[in-house]
Amino acid sequence: MNVNSPEEREIAKNCVAFCSALRRVEQQLRSEENSDAIIDGVLQAAAEFYGASRASIVEADWELGVGIITHEWCADGVEHQKDMLQYLAMEMFPRWKEALRTNQTVITANMHDLDGTFPDEADFFWNYGVGRILAAPFSKRINQGFLVVDDPTRRTDDAAFLLIASYAVVLELNEVKLQQSLDAASRRISGSGRAAYALPQGNAEAAQHDNRHDPQRDRSHTGLSASNQRTEKPSG
């Protein structure tokens, strides 16, 4: 490949970095079976590719109007925000809702660019020290949301790697939800089994109680037999 201009050299450099990052994450996670660990590994790869110190998964429930950070990776020394940013009011992020509907990335090189159009969103990110944002949507089966990189320092206008990473993430999120459903079903079946097992025990105890020796009952039965014998007419 003949690379002459600075632009061509930059494109070639990014292509090499793109392929190297994909190869590295595949090698690191090839034998990993835990879905949460895979998601964390993908987040780390995305953050490192874009020169960011934080990457996260925001799952959205537009019917309830909330967004929840379910996974987060941070570089050493960077404060985690997962526990602080639960149940985000999605009414502050109307352009994200449209981006999810149209499967478009969210790219903001400077939060000041949103001051006149989406001031609530700009204020939110400024309050948490985020000046740039890059996000890729995902939507598959019961999972929808964004893979978000805070304050990327390189390739800030190219979300290709983030889109590929989001596909891997949503597959693992589906696995997590499926396992949660299976665990819940197993607990219900286990509880039903214990209840069914307890019922014959109760019936057995009741039957045992009924079969205990009751002198009063025996006397009544004896008296009834004697009465029948007294009223019975002799034959012939």
Side-chain angles (χ1 to χ4, degrees):
M1 178 179 180
N2 186 16
V3 179
N4 296 317
S5 68
E7 292 79 7
E8 291 174 333
R9 287 196 293 271
E10 186 65 22
I11 292 174
K13 179 181 176 181
N14 287 335
C15 287
V16 171
F18 186 94
C19 294
S20 298
L22 288 179
R23 187 181 305 110
R24 185 164 53 252
V25 72
E26 190 275 333
Q27 291 173 347
Q28 292 173 348
L29 302 178
R30 179 187 304 162
S31 60
E32 180 61 65
E33 296 183 357
N34 182 277
S35 292
D36 289 325
I38 293 174
I39 293 173
D40 290 342
V42 172
L43 290 178
Q44 179 178 355
E48 292 176 346
F49 181 79
Y50 289 102
S53 58
R54 181 188 293 111
S56 58
I57 299 297
V58 180
E59 294 193 61
D61 189 326
W62 295 109
E63 293 184 0
L64 296 178
V66 297
I68 302 174
I69 298 179
T70 57
H71 296 78
E72 181 184 37
W73 178 88
C74 293
D76 293 341
V78 176
E79 182 181 12
H80 287 261
Q81 296 182 346
K82 178 181 175 181
D83 294 335
M84 296 186 294
L85 298 178
Q86 293 298 309
Y87 301 103
L88 304 174
M90 299 308 293
E91 62 185 11
M92 293 191 301
F93 308 94
R95 69 178 185 134
W96 293 65
K97 182 176 183 179
E98 181 64 15
L100 186 62
R101 186 185 70 82
T102 58
N103 196 37
Q104 298 295 315
T105 56
V106 176
I107 301 175
T108 304
N110 190 329
M111 284 299 161
H112 283 306
D113 295 340
L114 304 181
D115 289 343
T117 53
F118 302 101
D120 291 340
E121 179 184 340
D123 290 342
F124 171 84
F125 283 112
W126 281 124
N127 288 336
Y128 286 95
V130 178
R132 295 180 300 278
I133 208 81
L134 187 61
F138 60 80
S139 181
K140 187 174 181 66
R141 294 171 60 187
I142 60 176
N143 294 296
Q144 59 178 352
F146 292 88
L147 195 167
V148 184
V149 173
D150 294 354
D151 289 315
T153 60
R154 52 178 176 260
R155 309 178 187 93
T156 57
D157 60 347
D158 184 359
F161 184 88
L162 209 58
L163 284 168
I164 293 177
S166 71
Y167 297 146
V169 162
V170 74
L171 291 176
E172 296 306 323
L173 287 174
N174 284 331
E175 287 293 325
V176 170
K177 296 293 195 310
L178 176 61
Q179 188 59 51
Q180 290 173 346
S181 298
L182 291 175
D183 291 343
S186 177
R187 288 193 295 270
R188 288 195 297 270
I189 293 174
S190 177
S192 300
R194 287 194 297 269
Y197 179 72
L199 183 60
Q201 283 185 321
N203 289 344
E205 292 174 357
Q208 183 179 8
H209 177 77
D210 291 342
N211 290 331
R212 289 173 183 169
H213 180 66
D214 188 344
Q216 184 65 33
R217 184 183 62 183
D218 291 347
R219 284 195 298 270
S220 65
H221 286 179
T222 303
L224 179 61
S225 298
S227 175
N228 288 341
Q229 289 175 357
R230 286 194 299 269
T231 58
E232 184 180 356
K233 293 181 180 181
S235 59

